[in-house]
């Protein structure tokens, strides 16, 4: 049994157990699971989820949240039950209420919209997204044109573009590169969404540089450590796994990229599931080795449920494939570093554990 090590504050409930839904059909060979690590919650998600919980504790329900706090349906519904109300835009929020901005970040126009309604804003933007916002502002100020590699319509992309709207062009994929137009090819920089496929992004950059040889690189990687680490781990797993199951939601960019990366690196099949109950018996036909991972917004309890269901199907031999250790942790937004009585809160500045199960001595 693999636990989450008590790392995550949000008590995400288990789904109702449907024991023996999957059948243990004999195969040639030994059934086993390779469990990728790192997987699951990143530091930015951990911080954003705790921010909503603490806002509920300190200010009472309801607390409004603009967009999904993180892209995971189970986390969102769990927070809704505790009193969070998720809205699309700030004009849906009653004046004077508390509002949390999601981990994906917001544009200055959203911040202004909240201020105009006298909302008490708590910014749970991941600091690694804020870093990209700052880069966009700085390069725009220095008269650069910015080629932002990212997915059209993603909240993070909308937030980043909103920091330099006149100077940013979105590059959605390598296929966009031939059609990009710029004013000055010698004063160009590329930035990216934090949750992309590293390999596809590098291919996009290569094509951009073929067209614009003086294209400048960002000062440091925009694709975040968590996205990169989860992709490295699933690449290693996919070398041996015939089937890969990725736990996470369909609107989670880094989760969907894990499916792509698994397929590009040896897995014969890869599927994304929100819940264990979505695993189909036919996926397991003749499969000896299954890889399992989860996106950066996925609580470990959902992975555990997948392992439990696969155990019913005879996959009881579970080995972790650890490609990196993670201990990064961000302090909470400044409005939340005290408890409801105004005393310093140990979770606010780093008192919470970031040790996940695969980092525990007994894990
Ligand atoms: S995936 Fe990366 S950028 Fe997004 S919240 Fe997590 S650490 Fe931050």
């Amino acid at each position: 049994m693999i636990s989450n090590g008590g790392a995550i504050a949000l008590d995400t409930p288990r789904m109702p157990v449907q024991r023996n839904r999957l059948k243990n059909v004999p195969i040639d060979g030994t059934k086993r699971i390779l469990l990728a690590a790192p997987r699951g919650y990143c530091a930015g998600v951990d911080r954003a989820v705790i921010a909503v919980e603490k806002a509920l504790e300190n200010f009472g329900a309801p607390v409004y949240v603009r967009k999904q706090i993180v892209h995971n349906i189970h986390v969102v519904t769990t927070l809704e039950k505790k009193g969070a109300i998720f809205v699309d835009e700030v004009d849906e929020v009653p004046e004077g209420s508390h509002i949390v901005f999601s981990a994906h970040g917001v544009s200055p126009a959203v911040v202004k919209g909240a201020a105009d309604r006298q909302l008490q804003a708590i910014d749970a933007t991941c600091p690694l997204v804020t870093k990209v916002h700052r880069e966009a502002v700085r390069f725009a100020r220095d008269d650069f044109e910015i080629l932002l590699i990212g997915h059209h319509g993603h909240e993070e992309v909308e937030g980043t573009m909103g920091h330099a709207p006149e100077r940013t062009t979105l590059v959605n994929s390598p296929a966009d590169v031939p059609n990009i137009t710029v004013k000055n090819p010698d004063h160009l920089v590329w930035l990216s969404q934090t949750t992309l496929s590293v390999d596809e992004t590098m291919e996009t950059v290569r094509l951009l540089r073929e067209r614009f040889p003086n294209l400048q690189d960002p000062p440091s990687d925009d694709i975040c450590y968590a996205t990169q680490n989860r992709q490295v781990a699933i690449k290693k797993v996919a070398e041996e796994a015939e089937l890969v199951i990725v736990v996470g939601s369909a609107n989670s960019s880094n989760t969907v990229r894990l499916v792509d990366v698994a397929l590009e690196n040896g897995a014969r099949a890869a599927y994304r599931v929100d819940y264990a109950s979505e695993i189909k018996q036919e996926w397991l036909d003749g499969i000896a080795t299954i890889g399992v991972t989860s996106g950066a917004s996925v609580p470990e309890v959902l992975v555990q449920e997948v392992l439990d269901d696969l155990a019913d199907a005879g996959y009881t031999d579970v080995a972790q494939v650890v490609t990196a250790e993670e201990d990064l942790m961000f302090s909470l937004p400044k409005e939340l570093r005290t408890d409801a009585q105004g005393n310093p809160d140990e979770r606010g500045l780093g008192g919470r554990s970031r040790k996940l199960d695969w980092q525990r001595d007994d894990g």
Side-chain angles (χ1 to χ4, degrees):
M1 189 66 69
I2 293 172
S3 76
N4 77 356
I8 306 307
L10 182 67
D11 182 17
T12 40
R14 290 183 71 106
M15 299 306 290
V17 177
Q18 293 177 283
R19 277 277 69 88
N20 299 315
R21 193 181 60 80
L22 298 174
K23 305 278 175 293
N24 187 354
V25 180
I27 58 157
D28 291 338
T30 307
K31 291 183 177 180
R32 63 176 184 146
I33 289 175
L34 299 178
L35 189 53
R39 65 178 176 278
Y41 267 25
C42 61
V45 163
D46 177 56
R47 171 182 189 262
V49 172
I50 294 176
V52 177
E53 282 196 302
K54 277 215 61 169
L56 285 164
E57 276 170 33
N58 285 13
F59 310 123
V63 162
Y64 292 83
V65 184
R66 183 184 176 274
K67 310 285 186 187
Q68 292 191 346
I69 183 72
V70 298
H71 284 157
N72 184 267
I73 189 66
H74 193 58
V75 170
V76 167
T77 52
T78 302
L79 289 169
E80 273 176 338
K81 285 179 191 147
K82 293 182 168 215
I85 296 178
F86 292 86
V87 296
D88 273 334
E89 291 305 339
V90 292
D91 59 12
E92 298 168 48
V93 181
E95 290 195 1
S97 305
H98 285 92
I99 185 160
V100 182
F101 297 143
S102 80
H104 304 104
V106 292
S107 68
V110 171
V111 175
K112 179 174 183 312
D116 289 347
R117 293 183 70 73
Q118 281 88 47
L119 301 183
Q120 310 290 313
I122 297 159
D123 188 358
T125 303
C126 176
L128 300 182
V129 174
T130 301
K131 179 194 81 118
V132 182
H133 291 175
R134 292 206 177 110
E135 288 169 357
V137 169
R138 183 163 65 81
F139 282 113
R141 198 184 51 219
D142 292 345
D143 274 345
F144 277 83
E145 279 176 79
I146 299 163
L147 301 179
L148 177 65
I149 303 172
H151 292 143
H152 179 72
H154 191 281
E155 287 144 49
E156 181 187 322
V157 163
E158 290 174 353
T160 301
M161 290 190 79
H163 281 77
E166 311 295 328
R167 301 208 145 258
T168 308
T169 300
L170 183 63
V171 185
N172 202 52
S173 73
D176 277 7
V177 173
N179 305 319
I180 305 270
T181 55
V182 300
K183 294 193 191 84
N184 180 356
D186 296 324
H187 217 45
L188 277 182
V189 63
W190 70 272
L191 301 178
S192 86
Q193 190 179 331
T194 56
T195 50
L196 301 180
S197 154
V198 174
D199 294 341
E200 183 178 303
T201 303
M202 288 304 110
E203 175 60 8
T204 305
V205 171
R206 188 187 69 75
L207 293 171
L208 285 170
R209 188 157 280 123
E210 266 180 20
R211 279 202 62 199
F212 310 114
N214 291 333
L215 177 69
Q216 188 166 316
D217 290 325
S220 60
D221 279 350
D222 288 338
I223 299 179
C224 77
Y225 81 100
T227 299
Q228 298 198 32
N229 284 351
R230 281 150 192 71
Q231 289 177 14
V232 168
I234 201 58
K235 271 187 190 178
K236 183 90 183 146
V237 164
E239 289 171 7
E240 291 189 58
E242 300 143 280
L243 164 69
V244 166
I245 295 174
V246 180
V247 186
S249 290
N251 61 346
S252 162
S253 171
N254 79 86
T255 298
V256 175
R257 299 290 82 73
L258 289 172
V259 174
D260 298 341
V261 170
L263 290 171
E264 286 159 8
N265 288 276
R268 289 211 308 261
Y271 300 102
R272 180 200 59 76
V273 296
D274 266 302
Y275 297 109
S277 58
E278 295 164 23
I279 297 172
K280 294 193 167 60
Q281 181 75 47
E282 59 263 31
W283 296 354
L284 312 179
D285 283 352
I287 298 288
T289 304
I290 302 176
V292 174
T293 188
S294 56
S297 48
V298 177
E300 183 68 6
V301 66
L302 299 180
V303 175
Q304 185 61 60
E305 287 166 7
V306 165
L307 298 182
D308 289 350
D309 271 23
L310 292 176
D312 290 343
Y315 298 89
T316 51
D317 174 0
V318 181
Q320 297 214 77
V321 176
V322 180
T323 53
E325 299 283 324
E326 289 180 352
D327 57 8
L328 184 63
M329 190 169 58
F330 298 126
S331 56
L332 292 186
K334 59 183 183 311
E335 300 83 0
L336 297 171
R337 292 178 195 162
T338 56
D339 63 19
Q341 285 71 47
N343 304 310
D345 185 320
E346 60 168 16
R347 287 183 300 169
L349 288 167
R352 61 198 194 275
S353 168
R354 278 287 304 153
K355 281 213 158 191
L356 301 178
D357 59 291
W358 44 272
Q359 295 170 300
R360 280 153 49 101
D361 295 339
D362 58 352

